[in-house]
């Protein structure tokens, strides 16, 4: 059916209540954003959407390719804002060529501006921050970049530099780090002009690249070392036809947007150089859970619940599938604690250990610290919220203790009865601190009670068993 070009400003967001059961019962169609087969320029309308990402709050960002803009939606699919226009200035996008996006650890949005041969960075409101790259084949140059992904810690940027048949790696300041890949069909190589089209990174830092025209997915270590691959041309269960996108679930499954087979293909990494195709979902058509021919399923992104948003490009929509439950929720516990041994000290420390969920974890302590271990703590209760990569949270708390303040008094005193005698006595009593105590009198005695003293002034200092208190008197 030919596309209808709607230019109305009416909000068109379809959130269907119909439920379509996909071939793989793990992924069930729930709703969509956009109107099937109807392109437009209004809020919530698309013209050939090409990329999707979800932030930690669950908000959805869509590259609205032929409208040269980005649209942002709530987790339920309601329109929030849009930004971008046609051009080559900061914040603009080349014609029909804004392609993919990813979100870094500072919640900034990195967008591939393909025909301007650059990557642009925005904050979550669409305010322009920076632009990196110029056309060419040197370091920090791009030639028609197509896909982008951030490491799970959000600190390293991987860009599919398509016409240079390589992956470019940058830090989040835009500095070139290294690249890998070359032209060809061998291990670690990419096909010409339709090779490296998309990137996904797993919890272990492994980099998966959709090598489209070679009909395969290649796996690399974080430093670009080739590890393994899967896929070959065909429509069988273990075959692919122009795979254009790849995503990795919180459970570690590899989902491939098997473009010309109009499906999403699900794979398991056996971590021994082999991969198993576990199932697929989707088919050719315009119904719920179906995809357009030769330009349907091209990109996907998971939300914090393990559910999936899939771009159906040629039908101008983004479909939402209820995914399998995440393997396990994140949990945490305080695994190391040092208390203060003297009243008033600030020498306490705590360490929290997180398990399960999906890495990396972030830490937010009640004293504003943000690392797993905190130190220089005064007495008090400290609470930490641990958030995993999927946005699941857990809390732990512990109380740093300290002894009561050391307090010394003279509890007994006998004065000298007659002039010149040495019949006086004194007894010091101590509370707080940690017993036993050490006494130091200015007369040289080291017991709590001193006797046989002549008239005069006597001073005592006390140390507890931890060395807390005052040293010998002057």
């Amino acid at each position: 059916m030919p596309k209808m070009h709607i230019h109305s400003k009416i909000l068109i967001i379809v959130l269907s209540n119909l439920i379509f059961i996909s071939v793989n019962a793990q992924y069930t169609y729930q709703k969509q954003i956009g109107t099937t087969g109807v392109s437009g320029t209004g809020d919530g309308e698309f013209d050939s959407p090409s990329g999707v990402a979800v932030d930690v709050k669950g908000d959805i960002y869509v590259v609205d390719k032929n409208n040269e803009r980005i649209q942002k939606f709530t987790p339920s699919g309601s329109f929030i804002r849009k930004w971008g226009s046609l051009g080559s200035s900061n914040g603009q996008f080349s014609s029909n060529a804004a392609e993919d996006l990813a979100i870094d650890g500072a919640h900034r949005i990195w967008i591939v501006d393909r025909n301007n041969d650059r990557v642009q960075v925005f904050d979550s409101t669409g305010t322009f921050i920076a632009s990196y790259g110029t056309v060419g084949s040197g370091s920090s140059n791009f030639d028609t970049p197509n896909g982008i992904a951030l490491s799970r810690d959000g600190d390293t940027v991987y860009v599919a530099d398509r016409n240079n048949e390589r992956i470019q790696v940058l830090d989040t300041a835009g500095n070139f780090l290294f690249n890998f890949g070359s032209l060809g069909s061998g291990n670690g190589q990419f096909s010409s002009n339709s090779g490296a089209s998309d990137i996904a990174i797993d919890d272990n830092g492994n980099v998966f690249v959709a090598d489209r025209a070679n009909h395969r997915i290649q796996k690399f270590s974080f430093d670009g070392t080739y590890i393994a691959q899967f896929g070959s041309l065909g429509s069988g269960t273990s075959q692919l036809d122009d795979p254009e996108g790849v995503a990795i679930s919180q459970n570690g499954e590899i989902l491939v947007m098997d473009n010309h087979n109009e499906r999403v293909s699900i794979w398991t990494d056996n971590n021994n150089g082999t991969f198993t195709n576990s199932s697929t979902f989707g088919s050719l058509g315009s119904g719920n859970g179906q995809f357009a021919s030769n330009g349907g399923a091209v990109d996907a992104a998971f939300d914090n619940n393990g559910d999936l948003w899939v771009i159906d490009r040629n039908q101008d929509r983004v479909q939402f599938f209820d995914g399998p439950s995440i393997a396990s929720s994140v949990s945490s516990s305080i695994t190391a604690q040092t208390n203060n041994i003297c009243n008033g000290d600030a020498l306490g420390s705590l360490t929290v250990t997180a398990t399960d969920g999906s890495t990396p974890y972030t830490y937010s302590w009640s004293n504003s610290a943000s690392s797993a271990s905190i130190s220089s703590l005064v007495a008090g209760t400290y609470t930490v919220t641990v958030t995993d990569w999927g946005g699941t949270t857990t809390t732990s708390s512990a109380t740093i203790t300290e002894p009561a303040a050391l307090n010394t008094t003279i509890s007994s005193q006998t004065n000298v009865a007659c002039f010149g005698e040495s019949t006086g006595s004194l007894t010091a009593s101590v509370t707080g601190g940690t017993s036993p105590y050490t006494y130091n009198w200015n007369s040289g005695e080291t017991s709590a009670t001193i006797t046989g003293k002549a008239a005069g002034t006597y001073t005592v200092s006390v140390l507890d068993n931890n060395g807390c208190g005052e040293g010998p008197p002057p």
Side-chain angles (χ1 to χ4, degrees):
M1 184 176 80
K3 291 184 179 179
M4 298 172 58
H5 290 278
I6 307 293
H7 296 288
S8 167
K9 296 300 182 182
I10 298 174
L11 175 65
I12 303 179
I13 296 181
V14 178
L15 299 179
S16 172
N17 292 321
L18 297 176
I19 296 179
F20 172 82
I21 305 299
S22 63
V23 174
N24 178 351
Q26 284 189 319
Y27 289 91
T28 306
Y29 173 88
Q30 296 291 319
K31 59 189 177 185
Q32 69 182 46
I33 306 174
T35 303
T36 305
V38 179
S39 63
T41 60
D43 297 343
E45 297 178 326
F46 302 111
D47 189 349
S48 295
S50 61
V52 61
V54 182
D55 67 17
V56 293
K57 296 188 298 181
D59 290 337
I60 306 136
Y61 300 78
V62 180
V63 178
D64 191 7
K65 181 178 177 180
N66 287 5
N67 283 322
E68 295 89 19
R69 67 183 181 182
I70 308 301
Q71 295 197 66
K72 180 179 179 180
F73 301 87
T74 67
S76 63
S78 298
F79 175 83
I80 298 176
R81 63 172 52 90
K82 62 190 175 186
W83 72 86
S85 60
L86 175 61
S88 58
S89 300
N90 293 340
Q92 295 186 309
F93 302 104
S94 53
S95 177
N96 302 337
E99 191 67 31
D100 196 14
L101 75 170
I103 303 172
D104 70 14
H107 312 296
R108 299 179 302 176
I109 317 302
W110 291 69
I111 302 171
V112 172
D113 185 13
R114 188 171 70 183
N115 287 353
N116 281 325
D117 301 294
R118 65 183 179 181
V119 176
Q120 296 194 72
V121 186
F122 301 83
D123 69 16
S124 60
T125 68
T127 301
F128 173 83
I129 297 174
S131 176
Y132 305 112
T134 55
V135 65
S137 58
S139 299
S140 300
N141 294 140
F142 299 112
D143 188 350
T144 319
N146 200 83
I148 190 168
L150 273 292
S151 58
R152 287 292 173 93
D153 61 10
D155 291 335
T156 309
V157 186
Y158 292 77
V159 181
D161 191 7
R162 192 178 76 172
N163 284 6
N164 281 322
E165 296 89 20
R166 66 185 180 183
I167 305 299
Q168 289 258 49
V169 185
L170 313 174
D171 63 21
T172 50
N175 298 308
F176 171 79
L177 298 178
F178 61 93
N179 58 49
F180 59 93
S182 60
L183 174 61
S185 58
N187 295 341
Q189 295 184 309
F190 303 107
S191 56
S192 175
N193 194 26
S194 286
S197 62
D198 197 24
I199 307 169
I201 301 175
D202 70 12
D203 284 347
N204 297 314
N206 296 309
V207 181
F208 292 81
V209 182
D211 185 14
R212 182 176 173 184
N214 281 326
H215 311 288
R216 64 184 179 179
I217 305 296
Q218 296 195 70
K219 177 183 178 181
F220 301 84
S221 64
F222 71 94
D223 61 359
T225 302
Y226 171 83
I227 297 175
Q229 63 180 281
F230 63 88
S232 61
L233 177 60
S235 59
T237 56
S238 294
Q239 294 180 306
L240 303 170
D241 191 347
D242 268 14
E244 190 163 341
V246 59
I248 298 176
S249 74
Q250 288 93 321
N251 287 337
E253 290 181 322
I254 306 162
L255 275 70
V256 180
M257 308 309 110
D258 194 4
N259 185 8
H260 286 189
N261 282 322
E262 298 89 21
R263 66 188 181 188
V264 178
S265 183
I266 305 172
W267 296 72
T268 299
D269 186 351
N270 301 316
N271 291 313
N272 60 1
T274 66
F275 301 84
T276 303
N277 176 253
S278 58
S279 57
T280 63
F281 67 92
S283 60
L284 175 61
S286 58
N288 295 338
Q290 295 183 308
F291 300 106
S293 174
N294 189 22
V298 296
D299 195 33
F302 284 94
D303 67 14
N304 299 336
N305 300 314
D307 301 324
L308 187 69
W309 291 91
V310 183
I311 296 286
D312 186 12
R313 184 171 63 201
N314 285 359
Q315 295 187 125
D316 302 299
R317 63 181 178 177
V318 187
Q319 300 193 67
F320 177 78
F321 296 85
D322 183 28
S325 59
I326 298 174
S328 57
S329 298
V330 63
S331 59
S332 64
S333 60
I334 302 297
T335 53
Q337 176 171 346
T338 302
N339 293 314
N340 288 313
I341 61 174
C342 296
N343 184 272
D345 276 355
L347 300 174
S349 64
L350 293 169
T351 297
V352 64
T353 299
T355 56
D356 301 323
S358 53
T359 58
Y361 308 113
T362 58
Y363 308 91
S364 178
W365 291 87
S366 52
N367 67 344
S368 299
S370 58
S371 57
S373 296
I374 56 175
S375 57
S376 302
L377 305 179
V378 300
T381 298
Y382 297 83
T383 300
V384 59
T385 299
V386 180
T387 305
D388 75 349
W389 178 80
T392 303
T393 61
T394 182
T395 59
S396 295
S397 62
T399 299
I400 296 292
T401 63
E402 65 180 359
L406 198 66
N407 182 50
T408 304
T409 60
I410 301 299
S411 60
S412 175
Q413 177 175 341
T414 302
N415 292 317
V416 175
C418 298
F419 181 81
E421 289 185 348
S422 296
T423 57
S425 66
L426 294 167
T427 297
S429 295
V430 183
T431 59
T434 304
S435 63
Y437 308 106
T438 300
Y439 304 86
N440 292 282
W441 294 87
N442 61 343
S443 56
E445 287 95 338
T446 57
S447 60
T449 299
I450 58 175
T451 61
K453 310 310 294 179
T457 299
Y458 296 85
T459 303
V460 64
S461 61
V462 178
L463 295 176
D464 73 0
N465 196 48
N466 292 326
C468 309
E470 298 179 346

